[in-house]
Amino acid sequence: MRPDLSAMDTLPPSPGSTVAFEKTALDILIATLRQRGYTVVGPTVRDDAIVYDEIGGVTDLPIGYVDEQEAGTYRLRRWEKDTFFAYTVGPYAWKKFLYPPEERLWEVRRENGTLRFTEAPLPTEQYAFIGVRSCELAAIRIQDRIFTGGPYVDPRYQARRERLFILAVNCTRAGNTCFCASVGSGPQAEGPYDIALTELDEVFIAHVGSVLGGQILAEVPHRPATEEERAAAAERVQATARTMRRALDTTDLRDLLFNHQEHPHWEDVATRCLACTNCTLVCPTCFCFSVEDLTDLQGESAWRVRRWDSCFSQAFTYTAGRPARQSIASRYRQWLTHKLAGWVDQFGVLGCVGCGRCITWCPAQIDITEEVARLREQPPQTERSPS
Amino acid sequence: MPGGQRKPKLAVWKFTSCDGCQLSLLDLEEHLLAIVGRVEIAYFLEASRATVRGPYDISLVEGSISTPHEAELIKEVRKQSRFLVAIGACATAGGIQALRNFADVRAFVDIVYAHPEYIRTLREARPIADYVTVDFELRGCPISRYQLLELISAYLHGRQPSIPTYSVCAECKRKGVVCVLVSQGVPCLGPVTQAGCNALCPTYRRGCYGCFGPMESPNPLSLGRRFETLGVPPADIIRLYRTFNAFAPAFREGSEHYEQTSSHAHD
Ligand code: SF4
Ligand code: SF4
Ligand code: SF4
């Protein structure tokens, strides 16, 4: 027997507490966020995939959809249940909001014989993300370090990030390309979030992560979660971890990469890799960009743009007269080595959170977990490194 | 790069082509006046019969070299031009007419013309760079008018043009397009094709046709193998690689590979 949902507490649930609410009441939660001025972004179906876009309410969510993912393949289908969050991650990570694909940084105009520089105004967007998965939270934690850790803070990322509201969702179904459990980033959401939901058949179990999260939940009819419900929620997430098919063995991973720079396997990958950049652009942690100065025709104004770029682009490696990494082998090696070894030294974490996007969205079906396994298998050889 | 106060002289040349690329210049409608304010359009028959003699600061060259006459003329254009830009698939790869390079052009001539003896044509249609030094190439069938504007703007201000050489996929991803190859199993040439169209076809849920030719480090055989796993027959893979940029080395490698391995090559 479940307690009456209308028996609402008068005080907002405090951080650390766990409550339950009817699934359709998520609509009230979204409406509350909108009333408070948030641009609410969440999963929605567009062009045969689930993408993150602005949503108005629960009817925009992919209710009853699941995705089937394999290396180089993504298919969306409906199933018999009215689940809200049974799918996993789609092609586009949240980074497209916090760190947009293209931004103007400043511009300069000629005015009465002088140059007038204007910095692009700081972004004012106030986003609420609905349905952030644990791997994606891990990725946000990593990008926080990259863009706001240390002495040089990116003010544009920081401005969006500071105002961000996060509603996380614990995964109750593992995708075929997911491997978060093996890299310690899921499927149970860890902070930072304001609220984390686990979907049961009838209700959402909501864990309150912040005071603000509690205040928002206070607007939604809810009640304390029962012991049974909490156990059921935990079991669903554990089952997700148990059924995850892929894994990345992280044992001595940093050294594996650094010690295998001359491994013949890099040339093997290069026969398959298209250097198309997809893996890096879908990756929620990859942050490389290029900066360009552009001008108008009249020479009245110039401006600087920052765009997502990729270590797979040959032009991106241009240094001192020529591209430093001309072969695809050297670029694939650079990507994997930076991600799985260099990051550890640079940011204190692996650059991979196991979301599986680079596997699913690779047109050539290259699988990061398999490539690492192959590097482990074969003996290192002292060959000339790819140039 | 231009010096002094004199407006740089711009010329537009046409070789074997459909005129579509030159038209991109006229298509720049809202920017056309600004362009005319900054450059002297000295030779552009598509727009005006009035011509100014060379030498020219910038020459935009459209079309492939397909006849003995053109092979001579391009040398003259080169002599008259400081900065020569090949524009479009014909000028940069030979264009659709380079399909004849894979067959016997005399046989076509005999079928098409009542008096084949009057036709003087080269066995192969080839890009401008096979005949003279080319300073820059704008890809596309047709070219992107934004890239054309960017090139002129960069030239005027003595800076590097922002013309990317990576794949169409990067444009898809920045634009938020859902990959048609991965989500629908549609064969798409985007991974081997140079960006510049802003992912036009994938935006409309079509596979890329490769109008912009090979990207900086294409891997046509790997993409071909992926098409095979999607169930695309070899004859269709040949057709995919054999369109506007059929004679570009990487696409040629792709089609010839399947021609060698397939018995349906000429169906
Ligand atoms: S690994 Fe795959 S997605 Fe990444 S560049 Fe290579 S082919 Fe493209
Ligand atoms: S490397 Fe691949 S699996 Fe790892 S976080 Fe990036 S996209 Fe996800
Ligand atoms: S649709 Fe085509 S161009 Fe776009 S990402 Fe997919 S393979 Fe690349």
Side-chain angles (χ1 to χ4, degrees):
Chain A
M1 194 203 82
R2 268 184 281 120
D4 181 7
L5 275 179
S6 61
M8 276 178 66
D9 285 336
T10 41
L11 285 176
S14 50
S17 62
T18 307
V19 301
F21 63 87
E22 294 289 348
K23 281 157 83 169
T24 48
L26 184 59
D27 213 37
I28 303 171
L29 193 152
I30 292 170
T32 305
L33 288 165
R34 285 166 64 91
Q35 275 154 22
R36 294 204 179 196
Y38 284 100
T39 300
V40 179
V41 184
T44 194
V45 175
R46 174 166 59 76
D47 293 340
D48 317 303
I50 289 169
V51 297
Y52 299 141
D53 217 334
E54 190 168 350
I55 54 169
V58 288
T59 51
D60 291 333
L61 294 174
I63 295 175
Y65 278 95
V66 281
D67 47 13
E68 303 293 349
Q69 305 196 30
E70 285 299 341
T73 306
Y74 180 100
R75 292 291 183 278
L76 206 53
R77 66 174 175 88
R78 287 183 158 280
W79 69 352
E80 64 290 352
K81 301 179 212 170
D82 279 340
T83 44
F84 281 50
F85 295 105
Y87 41 86
T88 59
V89 296
Y92 291 101
W94 301 98
K95 78 174 177 186
K96 75 171 179 175
F97 297 102
L98 298 175
Y99 159 50
E102 179 166 331
E103 285 194 272
R104 196 177 275 215
L105 301 179
W106 51 257
E107 64 175 37
V108 53
R109 299 193 67 81
R110 233 188 263 283
E111 276 176 20
N112 311 319
T114 59
L115 295 178
R116 196 185 155 84
F117 287 83
T118 328
E119 212 174 315
L122 280 182
T124 54
E125 297 99 321
Q126 189 182 6
Y127 289 120
F129 290 173
I130 303 296
V132 182
R133 308 306 177 113
S134 61
C135 59
E136 301 183 305
L137 281 174
I140 290 172
R141 289 198 296 273
I142 292 172
Q143 287 212 329
D144 284 352
R145 284 194 204 195
I146 293 163
F147 288 116
T148 63
Y152 303 106
V153 168
D154 183 316
R156 308 189 64 77
Y157 179 91
Q158 192 178 40
R160 296 185 180 99
R161 179 67 182 87
E162 274 171 359
R163 284 191 291 272
L164 178 63
F165 182 93
I166 296 179
L167 183 131
V169 165
N170 292 314
C171 290
T172 48
R173 181 180 156 270
N176 281 340
T177 54
C178 295
F179 58 96
C180 65
S182 64
V183 292
S185 63
Q188 173 77 44
E190 285 172 35
Y193 57 73
D194 296 289
I195 302 171
L197 300 183
T198 310
E199 181 171 13
L200 297 183
D201 293 341
E202 303 296 331
V203 291
F204 284 123
I205 304 304
H207 184 258
V208 185
S210 71
V211 173
L212 177 61
Q215 288 167 356
I216 299 294
L217 269 174
E219 307 293 323
V220 181
H222 66 274
R223 57 171 171 77
T226 65
E227 202 52 51
E228 277 172 341
E229 284 169 339
R230 285 201 277 186
E235 168 49 27
R236 289 220 175 173
V237 182
Q238 281 154 19
T240 305
R242 282 196 305 272
T243 52
M244 209 167 279
R245 291 192 349 203
R246 276 183 167 78
L248 179 70
D249 179 359
T250 58
T251 323
D252 297 327
L253 191 52
R254 175 188 170 279
D255 294 342
L256 177 83
L257 270 299
F258 281 146
N259 294 336
H260 285 62
Q261 293 293 292
E262 318 289 327
H263 201 289
H265 188 60
W266 301 118
E267 296 294 348
D268 179 277
V269 184
T271 63
R272 291 171 280 136
C273 176
L274 303 160
C276 64
T277 77
N278 276 305
C279 48
T280 51
L281 302 183
V282 296
C283 177
T285 68
C286 277
F287 58 89
C288 284
F289 55 80
S290 56
V291 164
E292 264 180 322
D293 293 345
L294 301 170
T295 53
D296 71 355
L297 204 63
Q298 282 90 348
E300 291 303 313
S301 69
W303 58 94
R304 176 165 291 179
V305 291
R306 168 170 83 179
R307 286 195 200 94
W308 286 359
D309 211 320
S310 169
C311 53
F312 279 94
S313 156
Q314 189 178 62
F316 186 67
T317 77
Y318 190 90
T319 342
R322 61 163 221 155
R325 288 185 281 271
Q326 306 204 354
S327 68
I328 293 181
S330 69
R331 279 176 270 148
Y332 188 87
R333 182 183 67 178
Q334 160 64 25
W335 181 59
L336 213 67
T337 307
H338 188 212
K339 213 156 221 354
L340 304 180
W343 286 52
V344 178
D345 295 350
Q346 210 178 345
F347 307 113
V349 280
L350 274 188
C352 174
V353 297
C355 74
R357 283 187 177 92
C358 59
I359 304 173
T360 300
W361 299 96
C362 171
Q365 302 177 291
I366 293 170
D367 177 343
I368 185 172
T369 63
E370 257 174 50
E371 303 312 326
V372 170
R374 299 273 298 279
L375 282 174
R376 284 188 190 282
E377 268 167 24
Q378 299 171 17
Q381 289 183 6
T382 40
E383 281 190 7
R384 217 171 59 83
S385 57
S387 56
Chain B
M1 288 295 125
Q5 299 306 305
R6 185 181 64 82
K7 282 203 266 182
K9 284 202 272 183
L10 179 123
V12 183
W13 307 95
K14 176 188 157 61
F15 289 83
T16 301
S17 59
C18 76
D19 290 23
C21 289
Q22 316 185 31
L23 281 175
S24 310
L25 193 56
L26 296 176
D27 271 351
L28 280 169
E29 293 158 351
E30 70 274 24
H31 302 288
L32 210 51
L33 278 179
I35 293 176
V36 174
R38 295 294 309 233
V39 300
E40 180 184 4
I41 311 249
Y43 186 95
F44 185 14
L45 294 182
E46 183 95 9
S48 166
R49 268 188 294 169
T51 59
V52 179
R53 289 179 43 170
Y56 307 98
D57 295 288
I58 320 171
S59 277
L60 303 178
V61 179
E62 175 195 273
S64 65
I65 303 301
S66 311
T67 68
H69 170 68
E70 288 177 339
E72 288 310 310
L73 186 62
I74 189 61
K75 289 181 196 150
E76 192 49 38
V77 170
R78 177 67 267 189
K79 263 188 227 151
Q80 296 281 327
S81 312
R82 261 190 208 109
F83 188 66
L84 188 152
V85 185
I87 62 167
C90 300
T92 58
I96 195 84
Q97 60 274 25
L99 284 175
R100 74 177 183 209
N101 305 2
F102 299 93
D104 176 11
V105 71
R106 281 318 314 176
F108 291 146
V109 169
D110 289 345
I111 295 167
V112 173
Y113 295 98
H115 290 283
E117 64 277 18
Y118 294 149
I119 302 299
R120 296 196 59 212
T121 190
L122 295 169
R123 205 179 62 77
E124 290 183 329
R126 282 186 165 267
I128 303 299
D130 283 1
Y131 286 85
V132 296
T133 303
V134 167
D135 298 304
F136 202 83
E137 290 190 339
L138 282 184
R139 302 282 196 78
C141 183
I143 55 167
S144 147
R145 56 204 184 105
Y146 301 105
Q147 287 201 337
L148 179 61
L149 186 68
E150 166 59 13
L151 182 80
I152 295 172
S153 185
Y155 176 85
L156 288 173
H157 303 298
R159 66 172 170 85
Q160 186 92 359
S162 168
I163 309 283
T165 52
Y166 46 60
S167 70
V168 175
C169 301
E171 292 187 316
C172 271
K173 288 295 172 289
R174 284 206 292 249
K175 207 174 172 186
V177 169
V178 175
C179 177
V180 297
L181 192 153
V182 171
S183 72
Q184 295 186 329
V186 168
C188 176
L189 285 179
V192 294
T193 301
Q194 182 167 301
C197 62
N198 202 17
L200 185 59
C201 292
T203 303
Y204 291 98
R205 314 301 295 144
R206 302 288 301 258
C208 164
Y209 292 97
C211 307
F212 276 64
M215 48 80 94
E216 56 190 14
S217 59
N219 190 344
L221 299 188
S222 170
L223 189 62
R225 285 194 297 273
R226 179 68 178 117
F227 291 167
E228 287 179 64
T229 65
L230 292 174
V232 183
D236 289 358
I237 301 177
I238 294 172
R239 277 190 209 106
L240 279 163
Y241 279 125
R242 266 190 202 163
T243 58
F244 324 101
N245 288 285
F247 203 56
F251 287 6
R252 192 176 159 183
E253 184 191 352
S255 68
E256 285 179 344
H257 173 82
Y258 285 95
E259 202 161 46
Q260 281 152 22
T261 58
S262 147
S263 51
H264 318 283
H266 292 290
D267 69 355

